[in-house]
Structure formats: C-alpha cells, structure tokens
Amino acid sequence: RPGRSTRGDRAHLALAPSDAPAPRAATSGQGAARCTAALVVALASFVVIAATDVTLASLLDHAPNYRKWIVDLCAPHLVAPVLEVEAGRGSSSGSFELSGDMSAGDQLFGSAVMINVLERIEDDQAVLRGVRERLEPGGRLCIWAPTYQFLYSRFDERLGHVRRYRKRQLEADVRLAGFEVVEGRHVNLPGWLGWLILCRVLRREPTSSRLLRNVDTWIVPVVRWVETRVRVPIGMSVLLVARKPV
C-alpha cells in the first residue's frame, strides 16, 4: 500500500563469385555480424533508458534528454497545483513543479502525474480512484507505464512491476475509475524491440550507466524527432492522459 511523503512544497502520494578470394567473404560476414551486434546493443540500450529502476531517480540523472522528453509530453496537460503520485523505491521523477500538501485532506489538485508507478501497484483501481478524488473537476492525470504483458520478464519482477499494460487496457482501467480518456499514445519503438531481445530472449538485466548516457546523448534525440512526427503503432511505454469529468 503506497505511503505518503511531502518534501517542501512538493506533494507526493507514495503508493560471392566462385573465384573470389575466401577472406573477402569472411570479412563481409564479419561486417554483417558487427552491424547486427551494434543494432542489438543500440536497441538493448533503450531498455536501460526506458525501464530502469536501478531507480527512476538514477535513470533521470543519467538521461536528461529522455527525462525532458517525458516532461515535455506531459507538461501541456498539467495545471497547478500538480500532484506527483509515486510508488516508493525512488520512483519520484523530481522533474515537475509540484505544489500542495497531502496532509491537507480536503486539498484538491489541478492535475496529477504518475511516471512508472501504476505498474507497481497491485490494486491499481484503488489508486486511480483515489487520485480522481484529489483532482478538481476537469483536472487531468498523466500516466506513463510500460507496455505489453508478453514482454514481462525477470527484470520486470526485480523492478517491482506487477504487470505491463496494453494501451486499450489502460484506457479501460481509467474509464472504470471514473476518468475520461483525453489521449493515449505509444512511445519509444526501439525500446520495445530492445526489451524483447535483451530481457525476454536473452534474459539479461541492463544496468550500464555509461551506455545509458551515450544513448541518451546520441540516439534519444533522433528517436524523439522521429516520433514527434510519426505516431508509432507500438512502443516501450504508453502515455495516457485522462480527465476527471466536470
């Protein structure tokens, strides 16, 4: 059951041909192997960025571009005062200007945000309903969560994930909790494939902070540029924006 903590004015609810030389063929084969390996590494590195709990705080410390991507996707939907709901274990992003006091039982918030939180909570309906009760009429909730239960791995278990979500499932869940769905979209297509290869097929646990920093510097901006212009059909994460009815 999530607890509650307040830091300053931030509010948190913790819940080849035949005569060709043989070496050339070998070199070509090695080149293809290197390209394949590089692709796997690049995709796998998105797993480190997309789902690390190695804590969320350490993820955001090493991946400012990825953090900014998440914040920029959520920010247009957030109205002060903002409540960031967290699930403990360093799950607070620390990336939003938060306000309010959760100890004030009658305080309402203009919006709420849950970044890599809902998948860790057994009774997600209870938390969603609780957040709805703390929002002003018309207040919005932004949820960022990992996708597709068939990608669930031992690494998910280590991260404390209870489940992964399909977009339609998450939309149905927030409606059941009394919200209206404003927007739902997949994010980070390369991360989806990286998770499939690294965590499900190879059963590895990505923890390289150096790789994370390199990918955040060189690859994340490119993927963000592409996905800003093209809505991808699948992704490592789902962003869902919901609204409390007026």
Side-chain angles (χ1 to χ4, degrees):
R1 177 178 173 179
R4 210 162 49 187
S5 66
T6 302
R7 296 198 300 270
D9 65 348
R10 293 184 174 187
H12 300 270
L13 176 62
L15 320 171
S18 60
D19 59 344
R24 179 174 299 176
T27 301
S28 176
Q30 290 171 356
R34 290 193 186 98
C35 289
T36 301
L39 176 60
V40 171
V41 168
L43 292 174
S45 61
F46 261 97
V47 173
V48 186
I49 280 188
T52 291
D53 176 271
V54 201
T55 78
L56 179 59
S58 66
L59 161 65
L60 296 175
D61 286 342
H62 294 297
N65 286 324
Y66 191 71
R67 175 182 61 217
K68 189 174 188 303
W69 191 8
I70 297 175
V71 171
D72 288 350
L73 285 170
C74 295
H77 304 284
L78 301 181
V79 176
V82 179
L83 168 66
E84 181 174 14
V85 184
E86 57 182 65
R89 297 180 59 201
S91 65
S92 171
S93 73
S95 302
F96 300 91
E97 295 184 2
L98 312 175
S99 56
D101 184 356
M102 285 302 299
S103 64
D106 58 348
Q107 180 177 1
L108 296 180
F109 296 87
S111 55
V113 60
M114 304 177 72
I115 306 297
N116 290 338
V117 169
L118 200 59
E119 67 275 9
R120 305 182 188 194
I121 300 172
E122 286 282 356
D123 192 351
D124 53 355
Q125 270 297 306
V127 171
L128 289 170
R129 293 176 186 273
V131 172
R132 185 199 66 199
E133 293 303 315
R134 303 308 300 270
L135 289 177
E136 298 171 349
R140 294 193 178 191
L141 167 63
C142 292
I143 301 172
W144 183 276
T147 55
Y148 300 106
Q149 186 63 24
F150 73 86
L151 292 179
Y152 192 91
S153 66
R154 290 183 300 181
F155 191 44
D156 282 280
E157 186 176 358
R158 188 169 81 81
L159 301 184
H161 293 175
V162 178
R163 70 187 71 79
R164 301 175 69 93
Y165 289 92
R166 289 180 297 107
K167 184 169 74 72
R168 288 183 181 180
Q169 171 196 355
L170 188 55
E171 290 172 345
D173 286 348
V174 298
R175 288 191 179 103
L176 184 62
F179 286 95
E180 300 169 346
V181 174
V182 176
E183 178 186 5
R185 62 180 296 177
H186 291 102
V187 184
N188 192 358
L189 174 58
W192 179 90
L193 186 54
W195 190 278
L196 176 64
I197 294 171
L198 194 69
C199 296
R200 287 293 291 156
V201 177
L202 300 180
R203 298 187 177 183
R204 300 289 298 276
E205 297 187 0
T207 56
S208 170
S209 60
R210 179 180 178 182
L211 181 60
L212 171 59
R213 286 191 296 266
N214 289 337
V215 171
D216 186 67
T217 299
W218 302 107
I219 299 180
V220 168
V222 176
V223 176
R224 175 178 177 171
W225 186 89
V226 172
E227 294 193 8
T228 299
R229 291 156 177 77
V230 179
R231 285 293 184 103
V232 293
I234 56 176
M236 182 71 240
S237 300
V238 57
L239 170 67
L240 189 135
V241 181
R243 176 176 52 219
K244 179 178 180 177
V246 178

